[in-house]
């Protein structure tokens, strides 16, 4: 039964992780879409941060009292189920599928296409024919998979060099994620301001590589405060990369669905995450945390090269910019004009 429950949660996660770019594109305009995506990613990371902080507190290590440990675990799981159920009902009651009028010209153009003309299979084929997206798919999987691996094995790495510091290991994980939340917001704001998708993605990738190297070679110095600082810096850049990857994918794959591109990115991240966690865990156990982290560093360096090869063809931005130059604006929500006239304006402008 527990394995079945975990399988259900894993399936549900696939749908949730792809939401940020989809929600941002459907509900927000060109000058705020990247920030909105970053905020949505921040929500996901906030849950991860809580996951680092609460379990060690709710389920303390009681090896001599298994019944107490089982009781504490059940309380944690029931609490999670209650919160998830409440959020489910709130989502069903409060949220709508899309706004009454499209927030951007690129979205308005997409909404002129009848739903029956959309083919998921053809969309997948188109995406895999898009070489820049394939490069991003691999590089995103490497970076995010490395982040998943570091997050999963962080406790083991810390306890290896700092015996009995399980609680501080959780706090370091929390620091890593909270710093990443700040990084996500800053990266989102920067994208909305500059639209420099490839340049920003490449710079954050390089800084993540440097951050992991510094974290690797300072982990065994014997000072927990150093681990807190280096872990925070690492989390700032590695988590800050998440909205960058989503938004960059949407730009270079427009007019394909944001949900499809995000879903493929998450699938790549999960595959790399599983492989990296298994290999890094083996290296950490058999050799040392340094060996496992250097393994990730080598792969992130490969990701830097792949990112540098991506052709920055900002299709969505080009559509929005072209219509803006013609001084045609999306109809505001409180406008008396019907949505059909909005569509005609956009079509005539195109």
């Amino acid at each position: 039964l527990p394995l079945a429950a975990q399988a259900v949660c894993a399936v549900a996660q696939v749908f949730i992780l792809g939401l940020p770019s989809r929600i941002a594109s459907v509900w927000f305009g060109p000058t705020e879409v990247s920030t909105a995506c970053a905020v949505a990613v921040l929500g996901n990371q906030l849950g991860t941060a809580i996951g680092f902080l609460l379990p060690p507190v709710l389920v303390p290590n009681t090896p001599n009292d298994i019944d107490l440990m089982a009781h504490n675990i059940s309380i944690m799981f029931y609490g999670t189920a209650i919160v998830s159920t409440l959020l489910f009902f709130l989502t069903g009651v409060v949220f709508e599928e899309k706004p009454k009028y499209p927030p951007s010209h690129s979205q308005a153009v997409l909404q002129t296409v009848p739903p029956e003309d959309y083919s998921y299979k053809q969309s997948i084929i188109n995406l895999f024919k898009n070489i820049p997206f394939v490069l991003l798919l691999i590089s995103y999987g490497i970076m995010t998979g490395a982040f998943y691996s570091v997050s999963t094995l962080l406790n083991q790495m810390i306890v290896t060099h700092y015996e009995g510091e399980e609680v501080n290991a959780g706090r370091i994980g929390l620091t890593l994620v909270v710093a990443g939340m700040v990084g996500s917001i800053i990266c989102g704001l920067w994208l909305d301001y500059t639209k420099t998708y490839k340049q920003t993605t490449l710079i954050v990738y390089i800084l993540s590589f440097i951050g992991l190297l510094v974290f690797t070679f300072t982990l065994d110095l014997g000072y927990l405060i150093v681990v807190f600082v280096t872990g925070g810096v690492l989390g700032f850049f590695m988590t800050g990369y998440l909205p960058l990857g989503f938004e960059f994918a949407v730009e270079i794959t427009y007019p394909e669905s944001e949900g499809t591109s995000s879903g493929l990115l998450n699938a790549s991240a999960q595959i790399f995450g599983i492989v990296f966690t298994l290999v890094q865990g083996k290296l950490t156990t058999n050799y040392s945390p340094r060996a496992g982290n250097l393994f990730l560093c080598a792969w992130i360096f490969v990701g830097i090269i792949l990112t540098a090869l991506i052709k920055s063809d900002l299709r969505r931005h080009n559509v929005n910019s072209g219509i803006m130059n013609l001084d045609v604006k999306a109809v505001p929500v409180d406008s008396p004009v019907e949505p059909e006239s909005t569509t005609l304006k956009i079509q005539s402008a195109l």
Side-chain angles (χ1 to χ4, degrees):
L1 187 59
L3 289 178
Q6 289 183 0
V8 172
C9 292
V11 171
Q13 185 184 36
V14 174
F15 296 96
I16 294 173
L17 291 178
L19 287 176
S21 60
R22 174 65 180 172
I23 293 175
S25 295
V26 171
W27 284 90
F28 295 89
T31 61
E32 55 193 8
V33 62
S34 297
T35 303
C37 180
V39 171
V41 170
L42 181 149
N44 180 39
Q45 295 307 309
L46 177 61
T48 304
I50 295 174
F52 273 114
L53 182 64
L54 287 185
V57 176
L58 296 176
V59 189
N61 190 16
T62 56
N64 298 325
D65 194 341
I66 302 300
D67 291 336
L68 176 60
M69 183 179 294
H71 175 71
N72 291 334
I73 291 175
S74 66
I75 290 176
M76 182 177 69
F77 284 167
Y78 279 123
T80 303
I82 292 171
V83 173
S84 300
T85 303
L86 178 62
L87 292 176
F88 169 75
F89 284 114
L90 286 175
T91 301
V93 172
V94 176
F95 286 93
E96 299 179 6
E97 182 180 358
K98 60 184 179 181
K100 189 174 182 180
Y101 301 108
S104 65
H105 302 293
S106 57
Q107 275 299 307
V109 172
L110 290 179
Q111 291 181 19
T112 63
V113 180
E116 58 270 16
D117 289 349
Y118 175 77
S119 170
Y120 181 74
K121 178 181 178 181
Q122 187 59 47
S123 180
I124 294 290
I125 294 174
N126 293 341
L127 288 174
F128 277 105
K129 287 182 178 179
N130 187 327
I131 300 302
F133 175 74
V134 173
L135 293 173
L136 179 61
L137 184 68
I138 299 172
S139 61
Y140 182 90
I142 291 172
M143 173 64 79
T144 311
F147 174 73
Y148 289 162
S149 184
V150 170
S151 301
T152 302
L153 299 172
L154 183 63
N155 187 283
Q156 181 181 347
M157 287 189 282
I158 300 300
V159 172
T160 298
H161 296 294
Y162 304 90
E163 188 175 351
E165 295 289 353
E166 288 85 359
V167 174
N168 273 324
R171 291 171 180 168
I172 292 171
L174 176 65
T175 302
L176 186 147
V177 176
V178 170
M181 291 162 61
V182 177
S184 295
I185 295 297
I186 292 177
C187 288
L189 290 169
W190 177 255
L191 282 187
D192 278 331
Y193 180 72
T194 65
K195 302 299 180 184
T196 54
Y197 290 86
K198 178 179 176 177
Q199 297 91 324
T200 305
T201 301
L202 184 59
I203 290 172
V204 170
Y205 220 116
I206 293 172
L207 293 175
S208 297
F209 173 73
I210 296 173
L212 185 56
L213 279 177
V214 174
F215 176 80
T216 299
F217 288 101
T218 59
L219 183 61
D220 58 352
L221 292 181
Y223 300 100
L224 268 175
I225 185 63
V226 174
V227 184
F228 271 97
V229 173
T230 56
V233 172
L234 180 63
F236 180 90
F237 293 114
M238 293 189 81
T239 308
Y241 174 83
L242 300 181
L244 295 178
F246 281 141
E247 286 296 287
F248 196 13
V250 173
E251 289 290 339
I252 63 179
T253 61
Y254 180 87
E256 301 300 334
S257 170
E258 303 89 352
T260 306
S261 61
S262 297
L264 289 175
L265 290 180
N266 282 317
S268 176
Q270 298 298 327
I271 293 171
F272 276 100
I274 292 171
V275 174
F276 285 172
T277 301
L278 292 175
V279 176
Q280 186 188 11
K282 192 72 173 177
L283 291 173
T284 300
T285 302
N286 294 346
Y287 299 98
S288 67
R290 178 173 293 183
N293 285 334
L294 287 176
F295 164 78
L296 293 183
C297 287
W299 274 98
I300 291 178
F301 184 76
V302 172
I304 292 174
I305 297 174
L306 294 177
T307 302
L309 295 176
I310 297 174
K311 180 182 178 182
S312 184
D313 182 13
L314 306 182
R315 300 178 181 180
R316 181 180 65 177
H317 175 63
N318 290 339
V319 170
N320 288 327
S321 297
I323 298 178
M324 285 179 188
N325 291 336
L326 293 174
D327 198 27
V328 180
K329 300 179 180 179
V331 178
V333 173
D334 57 351
S335 171
V337 182
E338 293 298 322
E340 288 80 3
S341 62
T342 304
T343 302
L344 290 175
K345 287 181 181 179
I346 294 166
Q347 287 179 322
S348 61
L350 289 174

